[in-house]
Amino acid sequence: MTSTKKILLFFILPALAPLLFPPGFILKGYWIIVLDLILFISLGFLLLRGRSLALTLAIFLQGLNVIIRLMMFLPNTKPANGPLDVVFALTSILSIALSLYLVLRLDKVDVRTTMVT
């Protein structure tokens, strides 16, 4: 696996998936962006060092993101007394797809073998 793929799989994509929200929604809690980056950058460094517990945590966090987004999808996409929120629906679908891809991709053998021990 090339170093570009390692950076994408271990650092960029895992940090991006939980942050996919409409801009007005995420900017209200700008501090969560900092916490997300700290968490996933430190998790990425542990993955590069070959920590199997970090891989388990990364897979768990992405799976948890899929579950939470599925639970939030319908109530927030079509509120009881408001119009359809298309931006929220699109960002949620992208986040679910990205997290689901990461859950399936991080559990592959080639990812485990490229982790330096």
Side-chain angles (χ1 to χ4, degrees), residues 2 9 13 21 25-26 35 41 51 56 58 62 73-74 76 78 82-86 97-98 102-103 108 112 115-116:
T2 64
L9 282 178
L13 295 179
F21 280 104
F25 193 78
I26 195 73
L35 292 175
I41 287 174
R51 307 289 180 164
T56 304
Q62 294 304 321
F73 186 74
L74 287 178
N76 290 321
K78 179 64 175 104
L84 183 70
D85 193 355
V86 178
L98 183 58
L102 285 170
V103 164
K108 298 282 184 186
R112 292 181 187 273
M115 291 172 54
V116 179

Side-chain angles (χ1 to χ4, degrees), residues 41-116:
I41 287 174
S42 60
L43 192 60
F45 281 119
L46 290 173
L47 286 170
L48 284 178
R49 300 200 60 171
R51 307 289 180 164
S52 62
L53 190 61
L55 182 62
T56 304
L57 181 61
I59 292 170
F60 174 77
L61 288 175
Q62 294 304 321
L64 192 63
N65 187 38
V66 170
I67 293 168
I68 289 172
R69 291 294 180 115
L70 285 173
M71 289 172 36
M72 289 175 47
F73 186 74
L74 287 178
N76 290 321
T77 302
K78 179 64 175 104
N81 52 352
L84 183 70
D85 193 355
V86 178
V87 178
F88 184 82
L90 288 175
T91 55
S92 291
I93 290 170
L94 285 174
S95 178
I96 290 169
L98 183 58
S99 288
L100 192 58
Y101 168 75
L102 285 170
V103 164
L104 297 174
R105 183 69 178 102
L106 289 175
D107 202 29
K108 298 282 184 186
V109 175
D110 66 329
V111 173
R112 292 181 187 273
T113 57
T114 58
M115 291 172 54
V116 179

